[in-house]
Amino acid sequence: MGRRWRLPAGPRPKLVSLRTTFAVSFAAVTAAVTILVGILSYNSAARLVRVDQQSVFTQVVQDVQDEVRQHPMGPDDFSSSRPGHDLVRPARTDVQVLGAQGQIMDHGSPVLPVTSRDRAMALAWTAGSVVEHKDVRVDADLFRIATVSLGQGRGAVQVAQEFSDTEDLLRALQQRTLIVMSAVVVAAGLFGWWLARRITRRLVILTSAAEDVARTRQLGIQVPVAGLDEVGRLGRAFDRMLGRLAQSEEDQRRLVQDAGHELRTPLTSLRTNISLLRRIDELPPATREELVADLSQEARELTDLVNELVDLAAGQSDNEPPQRVDLADLAEDVVGLARRRTGRDVVLHAAGDTTTDGRPGMLQRAISNLVENAAKFDRDGKAPIEVSVTGPARPGTVRVEVLDRGPGIAEGDLVRIFDRFYRAADARSLPGSGLGLSIVREIAMAHGGAPFAFRREGGGAVIGFTVGGGYVPGGGTGT
């Protein structure tokens, strides 16, 4: 045997809870949306403010141009001490008047710088000519300045607009936007954590229940179920699954106990007869023949019992695929085989639509068990065994009945004949395991139906089952 090599174990990955993942994801999405909206809002607001300020400045300059073009005007006409020209001094707008040589005749507040280009405008012959300066720093403030010529060398008017205050306002707006976005992100993270905790609380409970089942192997743990959403559905499904598993475990335990009890009797008889084989030479020939016959019978019954136990424990095997099947055709095959085996007269009555969805092998086994049961209890009967297949009793259902003229079934036994290993008092001397009708019940319930039994008028019994709704995996209760 070769030596096995094991790779060195690496560090175990750190588990991240669903709650943390949900909270972080919620906060990340909220942060991304908040930042995007904040940036777009700030840019839009800043653009609107700057465009508005530019529009105001452009309009003031245009008004001055129109005025000097329409009326010959000199520097004195724009003096701050002369009334009638306040319209060129709106908020955060400064006006400074230059003389013919470019000298300052009426200084602004603050005093604006005068360049060679501004002096050229003062000497210009055409009224309304303009030269603009952007981002001019005066003291600690920024201005945009436009110099408008008065024409015919009479001087010029400087119009300045301060926009450093606007930029300060926008910077303050930017800071406040960042503060608000940070607050929103933090609040989103806290709300996401609270929401994730609320949503995953039931998942944590379900996880704890699953871990308890894995640790204790106790399937009877109560699973708290609440809510109508997907988590609630998961809880109810988990609870039903544990119930089915607990029922299956109980069924297996009962099957083992019942099988052990049923196997004990034939094994004891076999052991007794085998012990007699040690003295077979001392036995008379008739006793020898009887002993061998008993051994053969007991071995056959033990084989039948083991086979039925295997079939029952395996759930009649799910290897056969469900398909559309005609129960009348299956019953006809069973009837033909029963005639050859028993030599009895077995008749079939079929009426209506007897097709259904199911597993042919399982359904044929159920019909065969019913016919064998009738032949066993009506061994010396002269009347024929009747098999009736009718459908549909209601939409999608088919009814199968086997009628005999045997001793019938006692009232107290009608509700128990489908239990595993149950055998009526008057049937315990007959061969059989007590599993045949139990298998019929399992097959019927797996196909959406149920078994039934009642006493027949004139003597005998009617035992059968219904099927309908198609094959349901695990449809039998197993009880």
mmCIF file of all heavy atoms in Angstrom, residues 311-358:
data_model
loop_
_atom_site.group_PDB
_atom_site.id
_atom_site.type_symbol
_atom_site.label_atom_id
_atom_site.label_comp_id
_atom_site.label_asym_id
_atom_site.label_seq_id
_atom_site.Cartn_x
_atom_site.Cartn_y
_atom_site.Cartn_z
ATOM 1 N N ASP A 311 -36.880 -4.927 -0.076
ATOM 2 C CA ASP A 311 -37.729 -4.069 -0.911
ATOM 3 C C ASP A 311 -38.322 -2.920 -0.108
ATOM 4 O O ASP A 311 -38.367 -1.773 -0.547
ATOM 5 C CB ASP A 311 -38.861 -4.890 -1.538
ATOM 6 C CG ASP A 311 -38.367 -5.795 -2.649
ATOM 7 O OD1 ASP A 311 -37.244 -5.554 -3.133
ATOM 8 O OD2 ASP A 311 -39.083 -6.746 -3.020
ATOM 9 N N LEU A 312 -38.794 -3.234 1.086
ATOM 10 C CA LEU A 312 -39.426 -2.218 1.911
ATOM 11 C C LEU A 312 -38.408 -1.183 2.389
ATOM 12 O O LEU A 312 -38.673 0.022 2.383
ATOM 13 C CB LEU A 312 -40.097 -2.881 3.113
ATOM 14 C CG LEU A 312 -41.072 -2.011 3.916
ATOM 15 C CD1 LEU A 312 -42.237 -1.579 3.032
ATOM 16 C CD2 LEU A 312 -41.592 -2.789 5.120
ATOM 17 N N ALA A 313 -37.238 -1.645 2.819
ATOM 18 C CA ALA A 313 -36.216 -0.716 3.310
ATOM 19 C C ALA A 313 -35.675 0.169 2.202
ATOM 20 O O ALA A 313 -35.318 1.324 2.413
ATOM 21 C CB ALA A 313 -35.075 -1.494 3.970
ATOM 22 N N ALA A 314 -35.615 -0.372 0.982
ATOM 23 C CA ALA A 314 -35.094 0.393 -0.154
ATOM 24 C C ALA A 314 -36.143 1.291 -0.776
ATOM 25 O O ALA A 314 -35.867 1.977 -1.751
ATOM 26 C CB ALA A 314 -34.539 -0.562 -1.212
ATOM 27 N N GLY A 315 -37.365 1.272 -0.221
ATOM 28 C CA GLY A 315 -38.423 2.100 -0.791
ATOM 29 C C GLY A 315 -38.824 1.644 -2.159
ATOM 30 O O GLY A 315 -39.199 2.447 -3.013
ATOM 31 N N GLN A 316 -38.774 0.359 -2.405
ATOM 32 C CA GLN A 316 -39.160 -0.230 -3.683
ATOM 33 C C GLN A 316 -38.316 0.305 -4.843
ATOM 34 O O GLN A 316 -38.753 0.317 -5.982
ATOM 35 C CB GLN A 316 -40.641 -0.009 -3.964
ATOM 36 C CG GLN A 316 -41.582 -0.758 -3.039
ATOM 37 C CD GLN A 316 -41.766 -0.010 -1.732
ATOM 38 O OE1 GLN A 316 -41.987 1.193 -1.721
ATOM 39 N NE2 GLN A 316 -41.687 -0.725 -0.637
ATOM 40 N N SER A 317 -37.158 0.847 -4.558
ATOM 41 C CA SER A 317 -36.166 1.269 -5.555
ATOM 42 C C SER A 317 -36.688 2.360 -6.473
ATOM 43 O O SER A 317 -37.730 2.249 -7.081
ATOM 44 C CB SER A 317 -35.701 0.082 -6.403
ATOM 45 O OG SER A 317 -34.761 0.501 -7.361
ATOM 46 N N ASP A 318 -35.967 3.440 -6.521
ATOM 47 C CA ASP A 318 -36.354 4.571 -7.375
ATOM 48 C C ASP A 318 -35.597 4.569 -8.697
ATOM 49 O O ASP A 318 -35.531 5.577 -9.386
ATOM 50 C CB ASP A 318 -36.069 5.893 -6.645
ATOM 51 C CG ASP A 318 -37.100 6.151 -5.554
ATOM 52 O OD1 ASP A 318 -38.147 5.494 -5.581
ATOM 53 O OD2 ASP A 318 -36.840 7.003 -4.691
ATOM 54 N N ASN A 319 -35.005 3.413 -9.060
ATOM 55 C CA ASN A 319 -34.231 3.375 -10.295
ATOM 56 C C ASN A 319 -35.125 3.387 -11.527
ATOM 57 O O ASN A 319 -34.695 3.792 -12.603
ATOM 58 C CB ASN A 319 -33.338 2.115 -10.330
ATOM 59 C CG ASN A 319 -32.261 2.159 -9.249
ATOM 60 O OD1 ASN A 319 -31.797 3.239 -8.896
ATOM 61 N ND2 ASN A 319 -31.892 1.003 -8.736
ATOM 62 N N GLU A 320 -36.349 2.906 -11.387
ATOM 63 C CA GLU A 320 -37.251 2.840 -12.533
ATOM 64 C C GLU A 320 -37.847 4.220 -12.791
ATOM 65 O O GLU A 320 -38.422 4.832 -11.896
ATOM 66 C CB GLU A 320 -38.369 1.827 -12.245
ATOM 67 C CG GLU A 320 -39.282 1.578 -13.435
ATOM 68 C CD GLU A 320 -40.383 0.594 -13.088
ATOM 69 O OE1 GLU A 320 -40.675 0.437 -11.878
ATOM 70 O OE2 GLU A 320 -40.950 -0.008 -14.001
ATOM 71 N N PRO A 321 -37.726 4.748 -14.014
ATOM 72 C CA PRO A 321 -38.236 6.099 -14.276
ATOM 73 C C PRO A 321 -39.758 6.111 -14.344
ATOM 74 O O PRO A 321 -40.373 5.180 -14.868
ATOM 75 C CB PRO A 321 -37.619 6.432 -15.640
ATOM 76 C CG PRO A 321 -37.409 5.105 -16.301
ATOM 77 C CD PRO A 321 -37.070 4.141 -15.188
ATOM 78 N N PRO A 322 -40.418 7.151 -13.810
ATOM 79 C CA PRO A 322 -41.866 7.263 -13.941
ATOM 80 C C PRO A 322 -42.260 7.423 -15.411
ATOM 81 O O PRO A 322 -41.533 8.030 -16.202
ATOM 82 C CB PRO A 322 -42.195 8.530 -13.140
ATOM 83 C CG PRO A 322 -41.019 8.751 -12.255
ATOM 84 C CD PRO A 322 -39.845 8.227 -13.002
ATOM 85 N N GLN A 323 -43.403 6.865 -15.774
ATOM 86 C CA GLN A 323 -43.893 6.946 -17.142
ATOM 87 C C GLN A 323 -45.404 6.758 -17.153
ATOM 88 O O GLN A 323 -46.013 6.447 -16.131
ATOM 89 C CB GLN A 323 -43.220 5.889 -18.017
ATOM 90 C CG GLN A 323 -43.400 4.466 -17.485
ATOM 91 C CD GLN A 323 -42.612 3.447 -18.275
ATOM 92 O OE1 GLN A 323 -43.041 3.033 -19.337
ATOM 93 N NE2 GLN A 323 -41.440 3.063 -17.753
ATOM 94 N N ARG A 324 -45.997 7.002 -18.314
ATOM 95 C CA ARG A 324 -47.435 6.781 -18.450
ATOM 96 C C ARG A 324 -47.685 5.286 -18.528
ATOM 97 O O ARG A 324 -47.075 4.576 -19.329
ATOM 98 C CB ARG A 324 -47.942 7.470 -19.726
ATOM 99 C CG ARG A 324 -49.457 7.672 -19.759
ATOM 100 C CD ARG A 324 -49.893 8.673 -18.732
ATOM 101 N NE ARG A 324 -51.333 8.885 -18.751
ATOM 102 C CZ ARG A 324 -51.979 9.574 -17.845
ATOM 103 N NH1 ARG A 324 -51.312 10.127 -16.838
ATOM 104 N NH2 ARG A 324 -53.294 9.739 -17.932
ATOM 105 N N VAL A 325 -48.579 4.792 -17.656
ATOM 106 C CA VAL A 325 -48.790 3.352 -17.564
ATOM 107 C C VAL A 325 -50.289 3.074 -17.478
ATOM 108 O O VAL A 325 -51.048 3.862 -16.916
ATOM 109 C CB VAL A 325 -48.053 2.780 -16.328
ATOM 110 C CG1 VAL A 325 -48.552 3.414 -15.061
ATOM 111 C CG2 VAL A 325 -48.182 1.274 -16.255
ATOM 112 N N ASP A 326 -50.689 1.957 -18.061
ATOM 113 C CA ASP A 326 -52.088 1.520 -18.016
ATOM 114 C C ASP A 326 -52.198 0.419 -16.968
ATOM 115 O O ASP A 326 -51.645 -0.678 -17.124
ATOM 116 C CB ASP A 326 -52.523 1.008 -19.392
ATOM 117 C CG ASP A 326 -54.027 0.777 -19.473
ATOM 118 O OD1 ASP A 326 -54.659 0.567 -18.416
ATOM 119 O OD2 ASP A 326 -54.568 0.807 -20.592
ATOM 120 N N LEU A 327 -52.921 0.702 -15.881
ATOM 121 C CA LEU A 327 -53.037 -0.269 -14.795
ATOM 122 C C LEU A 327 -53.809 -1.515 -15.225
ATOM 123 O O LEU A 327 -53.583 -2.598 -14.690
ATOM 124 C CB LEU A 327 -53.722 0.380 -13.593
ATOM 125 C CG LEU A 327 -52.879 1.401 -12.809
ATOM 126 C CD1 LEU A 327 -53.677 1.972 -11.662
ATOM 127 C CD2 LEU A 327 -51.607 0.760 -12.293
ATOM 128 N N ALA A 328 -54.713 -1.368 -16.183
ATOM 129 C CA ALA A 328 -55.450 -2.543 -16.667
ATOM 130 C C ALA A 328 -54.494 -3.523 -17.334
ATOM 131 O O ALA A 328 -54.612 -4.749 -17.160
ATOM 132 C CB ALA A 328 -56.547 -2.108 -17.619
ATOM 133 N N ASP A 329 -53.536 -3.010 -18.113
ATOM 134 C CA ASP A 329 -52.552 -3.891 -18.757
ATOM 135 C C ASP A 329 -51.679 -4.577 -17.708
ATOM 136 O O ASP A 329 -51.367 -5.780 -17.828
ATOM 137 C CB ASP A 329 -51.681 -3.092 -19.719
ATOM 138 C CG ASP A 329 -52.477 -2.586 -20.921
ATOM 139 O OD1 ASP A 329 -53.567 -3.147 -21.187
ATOM 140 O OD2 ASP A 329 -52.002 -1.636 -21.580
ATOM 141 N N LEU A 330 -51.256 -3.822 -16.671
ATOM 142 C CA LEU A 330 -50.448 -4.433 -15.614
ATOM 143 C C LEU A 330 -51.246 -5.512 -14.894
ATOM 144 O O LEU A 330 -50.728 -6.591 -14.583
ATOM 145 C CB LEU A 330 -49.995 -3.358 -14.618
ATOM 146 C CG LEU A 330 -49.063 -2.271 -15.145
ATOM 147 C CD1 LEU A 330 -48.694 -1.305 -14.021
ATOM 148 C CD2 LEU A 330 -47.797 -2.878 -15.732
ATOM 149 N N ALA A 331 -52.527 -5.224 -14.604
ATOM 150 C CA ALA A 331 -53.362 -6.205 -13.916
ATOM 151 C C ALA A 331 -53.558 -7.458 -14.761
ATOM 152 O O ALA A 331 -53.610 -8.581 -14.230
ATOM 153 C CB ALA A 331 -54.710 -5.578 -13.569
ATOM 154 N N GLU A 332 -53.647 -7.287 -16.066
ATOM 155 C CA GLU A 332 -53.807 -8.453 -16.956
ATOM 156 C C GLU A 332 -52.587 -9.358 -16.880
ATOM 157 O O GLU A 332 -52.717 -10.599 -16.848
ATOM 158 C CB GLU A 332 -54.043 -7.973 -18.382
ATOM 159 C CG GLU A 332 -54.379 -9.096 -19.355
ATOM 160 C CD GLU A 332 -54.716 -8.581 -20.743
ATOM 161 O OE1 GLU A 332 -54.658 -7.355 -20.944
ATOM 162 O OE2 GLU A 332 -55.038 -9.407 -21.607
ATOM 163 N N ASP A 333 -51.392 -8.784 -16.828
ATOM 164 C CA ASP A 333 -50.175 -9.588 -16.692
ATOM 165 C C ASP A 333 -50.166 -10.323 -15.356
ATOM 166 O O ASP A 333 -49.787 -11.511 -15.280
ATOM 167 C CB ASP A 333 -48.938 -8.691 -16.809
ATOM 168 C CG ASP A 333 -48.800 -8.084 -18.193
ATOM 169 O OD1 ASP A 333 -49.386 -8.641 -19.143
ATOM 170 O OD2 ASP A 333 -48.117 -7.037 -18.312
ATOM 171 N N VAL A 334 -50.574 -9.621 -14.274
ATOM 172 C CA VAL A 334 -50.598 -10.237 -12.947
ATOM 173 C C VAL A 334 -51.611 -11.382 -12.910
ATOM 174 O O VAL A 334 -51.346 -12.461 -12.353
ATOM 175 C CB VAL A 334 -50.928 -9.176 -11.879
ATOM 176 C CG1 VAL A 334 -51.173 -9.843 -10.520
ATOM 177 C CG2 VAL A 334 -49.804 -8.158 -11.775
ATOM 178 N N VAL A 335 -52.766 -11.165 -13.513
ATOM 179 C CA VAL A 335 -53.815 -12.196 -13.528
ATOM 180 C C VAL A 335 -53.326 -13.446 -14.252
ATOM 181 O O VAL A 335 -53.516 -14.578 -13.793
ATOM 182 C CB VAL A 335 -55.099 -11.634 -14.165
ATOM 183 C CG1 VAL A 335 -56.079 -12.754 -14.504
ATOM 184 C CG2 VAL A 335 -55.753 -10.626 -13.229
ATOM 185 N N GLY A 336 -52.696 -13.276 -15.411
ATOM 186 C CA GLY A 336 -52.183 -14.421 -16.150
ATOM 187 C C GLY A 336 -51.162 -15.208 -15.360
ATOM 188 O O GLY A 336 -51.183 -16.458 -15.338
ATOM 189 N N LEU A 337 -50.257 -14.499 -14.691
ATOM 190 C CA LEU A 337 -49.240 -15.171 -13.885
ATOM 191 C C LEU A 337 -49.871 -15.894 -12.703
ATOM 192 O O LEU A 337 -49.483 -17.021 -12.347
ATOM 193 C CB LEU A 337 -48.204 -14.151 -13.404
ATOM 194 C CG LEU A 337 -47.039 -14.696 -12.588
ATOM 195 C CD1 LEU A 337 -46.232 -15.695 -13.408
ATOM 196 C CD2 LEU A 337 -46.142 -13.558 -12.103
ATOM 197 N N ALA A 338 -50.879 -15.269 -12.056
ATOM 198 C CA ALA A 338 -51.535 -15.896 -10.898
ATOM 199 C C ALA A 338 -52.276 -17.160 -11.305
ATOM 200 O O ALA A 338 -52.308 -18.144 -10.544
ATOM 201 C CB ALA A 338 -52.489 -14.896 -10.256
ATOM 202 N N ARG A 339 -52.873 -17.171 -12.484
ATOM 203 C CA ARG A 339 -53.564 -18.380 -12.950
ATOM 204 C C ARG A 339 -52.588 -19.544 -13.091
ATOM 205 O O ARG A 339 -52.866 -20.683 -12.708
ATOM 206 C CB ARG A 339 -54.236 -18.107 -14.285
ATOM 207 C CG ARG A 339 -55.470 -17.228 -14.207
ATOM 208 C CD ARG A 339 -55.909 -16.838 -15.599
ATOM 209 N NE ARG A 339 -57.053 -15.926 -15.576
ATOM 210 C CZ ARG A 339 -57.389 -15.136 -16.590
ATOM 211 N NH1 ARG A 339 -56.668 -15.176 -17.714
ATOM 212 N NH2 ARG A 339 -58.434 -14.348 -16.489
ATOM 213 N N ARG A 340 -51.419 -19.254 -13.635
ATOM 214 C CA ARG A 340 -50.440 -20.321 -13.856
ATOM 215 C C ARG A 340 -49.865 -20.816 -12.532
ATOM 216 O O ARG A 340 -49.586 -21.998 -12.356
ATOM 217 C CB ARG A 340 -49.325 -19.836 -14.777
ATOM 218 C CG ARG A 340 -49.791 -19.569 -16.201
ATOM 219 C CD ARG A 340 -48.612 -19.323 -17.134
ATOM 220 N NE ARG A 340 -47.879 -18.098 -16.777
ATOM 221 C CZ ARG A 340 -48.174 -16.899 -17.249
ATOM 222 N NH1 ARG A 340 -49.215 -16.753 -18.083
ATOM 223 N NH2 ARG A 340 -47.471 -15.854 -16.913
ATOM 224 N N ARG A 341 -49.624 -19.907 -11.586
ATOM 225 C CA ARG A 341 -49.012 -20.287 -10.316
ATOM 226 C C ARG A 341 -49.979 -21.040 -9.409
ATOM 227 O O ARG A 341 -49.590 -22.022 -8.757
ATOM 228 C CB ARG A 341 -48.503 -19.043 -9.579
ATOM 229 C CG ARG A 341 -47.224 -18.468 -10.131
ATOM 230 C CD ARG A 341 -46.812 -17.273 -9.294
ATOM 231 N NE ARG A 341 -45.519 -16.747 -9.723
ATOM 232 C CZ ARG A 341 -44.949 -15.654 -9.186
ATOM 233 N NH1 ARG A 341 -45.577 -14.999 -8.216
ATOM 234 N NH2 ARG A 341 -43.786 -15.238 -9.621
ATOM 235 N N THR A 342 -51.206 -20.557 -9.313
ATOM 236 C CA THR A 342 -52.148 -21.107 -8.332
ATOM 237 C C THR A 342 -53.123 -22.112 -8.931
ATOM 238 O O THR A 342 -53.730 -22.892 -8.192
ATOM 239 C CB THR A 342 -52.942 -19.960 -7.684
ATOM 240 O OG1 THR A 342 -53.756 -19.306 -8.684
ATOM 241 C CG2 THR A 342 -52.003 -18.934 -7.059
ATOM 242 N N GLY A 343 -53.327 -22.049 -10.249
ATOM 243 C CA GLY A 343 -54.331 -22.912 -10.865
ATOM 244 C C GLY A 343 -55.744 -22.442 -10.587
ATOM 245 O O GLY A 343 -56.714 -23.162 -10.909
ATOM 246 N N ARG A 344 -55.855 -21.263 -9.969
ATOM 247 C CA ARG A 344 -57.165 -20.728 -9.640
ATOM 248 C C ARG A 344 -57.718 -19.935 -10.808
ATOM 249 O O ARG A 344 -56.996 -19.478 -11.697
ATOM 250 C CB ARG A 344 -57.067 -19.802 -8.414
ATOM 251 C CG ARG A 344 -56.712 -20.513 -7.116
ATOM 252 C CD ARG A 344 -57.889 -21.306 -6.597
ATOM 253 N NE ARG A 344 -59.053 -20.464 -6.419
ATOM 254 C CZ ARG A 344 -59.277 -19.698 -5.347
ATOM 255 N NH1 ARG A 344 -58.420 -19.720 -4.347
ATOM 256 N NH2 ARG A 344 -60.378 -18.984 -5.270
ATOM 257 N N ASP A 345 -59.034 -19.747 -10.771
ATOM 258 C CA ASP A 345 -59.701 -18.918 -11.766
ATOM 259 C C ASP A 345 -59.621 -17.466 -11.286
ATOM 260 O O ASP A 345 -60.203 -17.111 -10.246
ATOM 261 C CB ASP A 345 -61.150 -19.373 -11.930
ATOM 262 C CG ASP A 345 -61.857 -18.629 -13.061
ATOM 263 O OD1 ASP A 345 -61.141 -17.974 -13.859
ATOM 264 O OD2 ASP A 345 -63.089 -18.696 -13.138
ATOM 265 N N VAL A 346 -58.885 -16.633 -12.008
ATOM 266 C CA VAL A 346 -58.731 -15.210 -11.673
ATOM 267 C C VAL A 346 -59.253 -14.401 -12.855
ATOM 268 O O VAL A 346 -58.787 -14.582 -13.987
ATOM 269 C CB VAL A 346 -57.264 -14.839 -11.380
ATOM 270 C CG1 VAL A 346 -57.159 -13.397 -10.921
ATOM 271 C CG2 VAL A 346 -56.665 -15.779 -10.344
ATOM 272 N N VAL A 347 -60.233 -13.542 -12.587
ATOM 273 C CA VAL A 347 -60.849 -12.766 -13.675
ATOM 274 C C VAL A 347 -60.546 -11.285 -13.475
ATOM 275 O O VAL A 347 -60.354 -10.803 -12.349
ATOM 276 C CB VAL A 347 -62.370 -12.999 -13.726
ATOM 277 C CG1 VAL A 347 -62.677 -14.444 -14.043
ATOM 278 C CG2 VAL A 347 -63.026 -12.579 -12.419
ATOM 279 N N LEU A 348 -60.515 -10.560 -14.585
ATOM 280 C CA LEU A 348 -60.197 -9.135 -14.577
ATOM 281 C C LEU A 348 -61.371 -8.345 -15.133
ATOM 282 O O LEU A 348 -61.931 -8.689 -16.175
ATOM 283 C CB LEU A 348 -58.931 -8.866 -15.417
ATOM 284 C CG LEU A 348 -58.580 -7.403 -15.667
ATOM 285 C CD1 LEU A 348 -58.230 -6.691 -14.360
ATOM 286 C CD2 LEU A 348 -57.413 -7.297 -16.659
ATOM 287 N N HIS A 349 -61.746 -7.274 -14.441
ATOM 288 C CA HIS A 349 -62.758 -6.338 -14.925
ATOM 289 C C HIS A 349 -62.098 -4.963 -15.028
ATOM 290 O O HIS A 349 -61.519 -4.470 -14.041
ATOM 291 C CB HIS A 349 -63.948 -6.258 -13.965
ATOM 292 C CG HIS A 349 -64.568 -7.590 -13.659
ATOM 293 N ND1 HIS A 349 -65.353 -8.275 -14.562
ATOM 294 C CD2 HIS A 349 -64.515 -8.372 -12.539
ATOM 295 C CE1 HIS A 349 -65.765 -9.406 -14.023
ATOM 296 N NE2 HIS A 349 -65.261 -9.497 -12.791
ATOM 297 N N ALA A 350 -62.160 -4.339 -16.186
ATOM 298 C CA ALA A 350 -61.571 -3.010 -16.393
ATOM 299 C C ALA A 350 -62.621 -2.096 -16.999
ATOM 300 O O ALA A 350 -63.380 -2.508 -17.883
ATOM 301 C CB ALA A 350 -60.337 -3.085 -17.294
ATOM 302 N N ALA A 351 -62.657 -0.860 -16.535
ATOM 303 C CA ALA A 351 -63.627 0.110 -17.041
ATOM 304 C C ALA A 351 -63.043 1.505 -16.924
ATOM 305 O O ALA A 351 -62.339 1.827 -15.960
ATOM 306 C CB ALA A 351 -64.940 0.018 -16.261
ATOM 307 N N GLY A 352 -63.348 2.344 -17.919
ATOM 308 C CA GLY A 352 -62.903 3.728 -17.888
ATOM 309 C C GLY A 352 -61.443 3.881 -18.272
ATOM 310 O O GLY A 352 -60.781 2.949 -18.745
ATOM 311 N N ASP A 353 -60.933 5.104 -18.077
ATOM 312 C CA ASP A 353 -59.536 5.415 -18.383
ATOM 313 C C ASP A 353 -58.680 4.967 -17.202
ATOM 314 O O ASP A 353 -58.729 5.538 -16.118
ATOM 315 C CB ASP A 353 -59.387 6.928 -18.609
ATOM 316 C CG ASP A 353 -57.962 7.310 -18.986
ATOM 317 O OD1 ASP A 353 -57.141 6.401 -19.244
ATOM 318 O OD2 ASP A 353 -57.680 8.520 -19.008
ATOM 319 N N THR A 354 -57.890 3.934 -17.416
ATOM 320 C CA THR A 354 -57.092 3.348 -16.329
ATOM 321 C C THR A 354 -55.615 3.704 -16.436
ATOM 322 O O THR A 354 -54.764 3.018 -15.871
ATOM 323 C CB THR A 354 -57.247 1.818 -16.344
ATOM 324 O OG1 THR A 354 -56.838 1.304 -17.629
ATOM 325 C CG2 THR A 354 -58.680 1.418 -16.079
ATOM 326 N N THR A 355 -55.301 4.771 -17.152
ATOM 327 C CA THR A 355 -53.899 5.186 -17.289
ATOM 328 C C THR A 355 -53.556 6.215 -16.222
ATOM 329 O O THR A 355 -54.389 7.001 -15.788
ATOM 330 C CB THR A 355 -53.639 5.789 -18.680
ATOM 331 O OG1 THR A 355 -54.501 6.927 -18.878
ATOM 332 C CG2 THR A 355 -53.896 4.772 -19.767
ATOM 333 N N THR A 356 -52.301 6.189 -15.812
ATOM 334 C CA THR A 356 -51.809 7.144 -14.828
ATOM 335 C C THR A 356 -50.300 7.262 -14.986
ATOM 336 O O THR A 356 -49.680 6.494 -15.741
ATOM 337 C CB THR A 356 -52.155 6.693 -13.393
ATOM 338 O OG1 THR A 356 -51.783 7.734 -12.470
ATOM 339 C CG2 THR A 356 -51.405 5.420 -13.026
ATOM 340 N N ASP A 357 -49.696 8.216 -14.291
ATOM 341 C CA ASP A 357 -48.241 8.368 -14.302
ATOM 342 C C ASP A 357 -47.655 7.642 -13.096
ATOM 343 O O ASP A 357 -48.102 7.865 -11.960
ATOM 344 C CB ASP A 357 -47.856 9.853 -14.239
ATOM 345 C CG ASP A 357 -48.244 10.599 -15.498
ATOM 346 O OD1 ASP A 357 -48.150 10.008 -16.586
ATOM 347 O OD2 ASP A 357 -48.646 11.781 -15.401
ATOM 348 N N GLY A 358 -46.669 6.790 -13.322
ATOM 349 C CA GLY A 358 -46.076 6.071 -12.205
ATOM 350 C C GLY A 358 -44.989 5.134 -12.655
ATOM 351 O O GLY A 358 -44.564 5.136 -13.820
#
